[in-house]
Amino acid sequence: MNFEPTETQRQITQVIRDFGKIHIQPYVLEWDENQTFPAPLFKQLGELGLMGVLVPEQYGGSGLGYLEYVTVISEIAKICGAIGLSVAAHNSLCTGHILQFGSEEQKQRYLPKLASAEWIGAWGLTEPNTGSDAMNMKCVAHKDGDEWVINGTKCWITHGKSGDVAVVIARTGNVRDSHGMSAFVVERGTPGFSGGKKENKLGMRASETAEMIFDNCRIPAANMLGNEGEGFIQSMKVLDGGRISIAALSLGIAKGAYEAALKYAQERHQFDKPIASFQGISFKLADMATEIMAAELLTMQAADTKTRGGVVTQQAAMAKYYASEVAVKTANEAVQIFGGYGYTKDFPVEKFYRDSKLCTIGEGTSEIQKLVIAREALK
Ligand SMILES: Cc1cc2nc3c(=O)[nH]c(=O)nc-3n(C[C@H](O)[C@H](O)[C@H](O)COP(=O)(O)OP(=O)(O)OC[C@H]3O[C@@H](n4cnc5c(N)ncnc54)[C@H](O)[C@@H]3O)c2cc1C
């Protein structure tokens, strides 16, 4: 398999680096400190075609494949993990769900607005008492004539307050029945739908994470995605793609931390030598480089399978599990290489360290990835 970047991937990389230098890098610390969700930035990213990467051109998207998508997310995450997370959640969760399971009418209504980032997307599966155990969800939808009425709370939702449109999974049948949940599109402004508490997080602070509250929220029956009872199964398929996103996010964070540490290790002198000349430091760099390469190959393999239309459940879980653990380990070692300076906000590695931890949690924890990998292996 040849994963040499294509001309399109090279162009994407250059566009993101040029754009990021002017519109992201200078503000990263300020957004992080103040937990600012920079909504206007996403409109600019939309103009660059980065908010509808996988959406076909007929719906206003860029019509690219998963290999290019991995390039987009990892290049943004090298500059700022939080912006990478928001772009990933918008593209692969909300937009991805409508793209995979929406009717032609739903695709025409939502995809052009999402691809241009005129509308920001949110995707709500998680609830206060059900994260890994999503089949136990309490948020319910019941049919009333030509409408569905949704009641309950979703939490930890990326763009839970600022999202203009949300895909929401709610119970329409029995608890723990995989066919007992359905997916709906809910637009901001619908009476009974509001944003709740915004989380004050360790990292990824410029990516808004908040509750979504549904209080007798009535939506037309036509807002269901696919058929009644398909919501959970659809969500698992959406997460297969989403896990490639988080693998790419992890890869970008790991590469950003590694590149900063590599440079610093050659510049910083102790005992009259660059610290890179000490084997204790150069071996850390060797481990980081090797593990990043392995994470990249797993991620590209999953992206390639997905682009070809293959079943990606195990490969995506492997890529997400390995790449996210590598991101945390690499960022940790990068702080170590920077010594005391790495512990300050004057250098980028403390932020990579804080941001990296989300990658082993969001869209299924490392433990859940291992359950998925083992279940597939034992089939
Ligand atoms: C920044 C951020 C953004 C997010 N964005 C979204 C979003 O946009 N939409 C959305 O729906 N959700 C979102 N989430 C939620 C995220 O997907 C969940 O946090 C995650 O799935 C874990 O669920 P939990 O937090 O409830 O942990 P829990 O499920 O309570 O898990 C706690 C611990 O128990 C372990 N555990 C649980 N079950 C098992 C098991 N069977 N075997 C072994 N170990 C187990 C877990 O691995 C973990 O270590 C986001 C979370 C964060 C932090």
Side-chain angles (χ1 to χ4, degrees), residues 109-221:
R109 174 162 174 76
Y110 296 111
L111 294 180
K113 288 195 169 81
L114 287 163
S116 66
E118 183 186 336
W119 282 7
I120 297 290
W123 188 79
L125 178 70
T126 309
E127 299 182 2
N129 294 314
T130 58
S132 306
D133 187 14
M135 271 214 280
N136 196 23
M137 69 171 59
K138 300 290 183 290
C139 185
V140 291
H142 72 264
K143 192 99 188 271
D144 186 19
D146 279 347
E147 293 179 321
W148 284 93
V149 186
I150 308 180
N151 277 291
T153 300
K154 296 287 173 183
C155 67
W156 302 108
I157 307 306
T158 304
H159 318 142
K161 277 170 107 81
S162 298
D164 300 284
V165 61
V167 171
V168 182
I169 324 317
R171 169 157 307 292
T172 49
N174 295 328
V175 171
R176 295 207 186 283
D177 175 1
S178 61
H179 292 90
M181 288 151 276
S182 305
F184 303 90
V185 189
V186 187
E187 294 178 22
R188 186 69 58 188
T190 307
F193 173 32
S194 57
K197 181 186 164 220
K198 177 175 166 172
E199 302 300 338
N200 183 1
K201 307 193 297 293
L202 168 73
M204 300 291 195
R205 289 167 61 81
S207 176
E208 178 191 273
T209 313
E211 287 176 332
M212 294 197 300
I213 298 165
F214 299 90
D215 181 11
N216 283 319
C217 173
R218 287 182 170 269
I219 52 164

Side-chain angles (χ1 to χ4, degrees), residues 20-39:
K21 238 179 243 162
I22 299 168
H23 300 285
I24 304 177
Q25 192 69 63
Y27 309 102
V28 163
L29 205 57
E30 178 192 325
W31 292 337
D32 182 72
E33 295 263 347
N34 300 328
Q35 287 218 104
T36 306
F37 174 64

